[in-house]
Amino acid sequence: AQKVTQAQTEISVVEKEDVTLDCVYETRDTTYYLFWYKQPPSGELVFLIRRNSFDEQNEISGRYSWNFQKSTSSFNFTITASQVVDSAVYFCALSDTVAGANNLFFGTGTRLTVIP
Amino acid sequence: AAGVIQSPRHLIKEKRETATLKCYPIPRHDTVYWYQQGPGQDPQFLISFYEKMQSDKGSIPDRFSAQQFSDYHSELNMSSLELGDSALYFCASSSRDRGQYEQYFGPGTRLTVT
């Protein structure tokens, strides 16, 4: 069965600090996809990144970076020099490819508050 | 770029009433997903459609049904509404045929059952 664990329920940082959001997943599939979504106070879910299980290369996009480590089943997300606009709930999600279905299993989310 | 459109954005219904939520996927996306997010909860998968056929089923109550139409838009029909159905309902779309598995979400429909 698929499971995504985001152990950090809430994190507060002061603006310009770096922050890492943890994500640990479980799956028996050898092919799977991992995602991060941002949910700002307005409520929409914003896609941030997708990573497939065969690509362990870390990725950087501006102030965002992701560290995928298959050995520890983790897909952590780091925001560098945080800004107030980064305040949101961040969800890590897992998608398998069983029967071609790609529904997402979400973690419980981490609420990030960036204090000015 | 065009995004997923959901209507209505807000809906207030009474217990035992019915509701219909609509979703218009991104053009050329062939797969639609429905998710339910209760207050303070993570989104839970309800059901998905690929090329107008049901693809997968999650924790969708029997009181709910959904379908995808020939123009790829989808509707989620909810009957005998209960207080616990109050939630944010998201529709997402992706392009499975093009191997684009990232799901793009609509803005959601906030359903309040009183």
Side-chain angles (χ1 to χ4, degrees), chain B residues 31-81:
Chain B
T31 308
V32 168
Y33 310 79
W34 287 96
Y35 292 83
Q36 176 193 57
Q37 185 179 26
Q41 304 294 313
D42 54 288
Q44 295 290 318
F45 170 70
L46 294 178
I47 195 167
S48 63
F49 293 87
Y50 167 64
E51 284 292 344
K52 293 151 281 185
M53 299 289 290
Q54 182 180 307
S55 174
D56 196 16
K57 203 170 180 179
S59 51
I60 184 168
D62 291 340
R63 300 177 289 106
F64 294 5
S65 65
Q67 61 183 122
Q68 186 179 31
F69 295 85
S70 57
D71 64 351
Y72 292 95
H73 94 273
S74 177
E75 295 184 3
L76 177 65
N77 299 293
M78 310 159 74
S79 62
S80 301
L81 287 169

Side-chain angles (χ1 to χ4, degrees), chain B residues 91-108:
Chain B
C91 172
S93 72
S94 69
S95 178
R96 191 177 299 181
D97 280 351
R98 292 194 284 169
Q100 295 173 356
Y101 297 113
E102 51 269 27
Q103 295 178 26
Y104 291 92
F105 283 77

Side-chain angles (χ1 to χ4, degrees), chain A residues 30-106:
Chain A
T30 54
T31 301
Y32 52 89
Y33 298 86
L34 295 164
F35 302 78
W36 275 95
Y37 283 86
K38 173 183 180 180
Q39 188 171 41
S42 50
E44 72 271 26
L45 279 166
V46 179
F47 166 77
L48 295 178
I49 190 171
R50 172 179 71 101
R51 173 67 73 231
N52 73 50
S53 52
F54 297 110
D55 181 5
E56 289 193 69
Q57 199 170 23
N58 292 329
E59 181 159 339
I60 298 174
S61 175
R63 295 184 298 107
Y64 295 170
S65 62
W66 291 269
N67 184 337
F68 176 31
Q69 293 198 345
K70 227 169 165 178
S71 60
T72 56
S73 297
S74 65
F75 186 42
N76 297 336
F77 172 32
T78 298
I79 302 175
T80 303
S82 58
Q83 300 176 0
V84 173
V85 293
D86 296 328
S87 296
V89 179
Y90 290 86
F91 289 100
C92 179
L94 170 71
S95 171
D96 60 27
T97 56
V98 174
N102 302 107
N103 47 286
L104 296 173
F105 298 91
F106 285 86

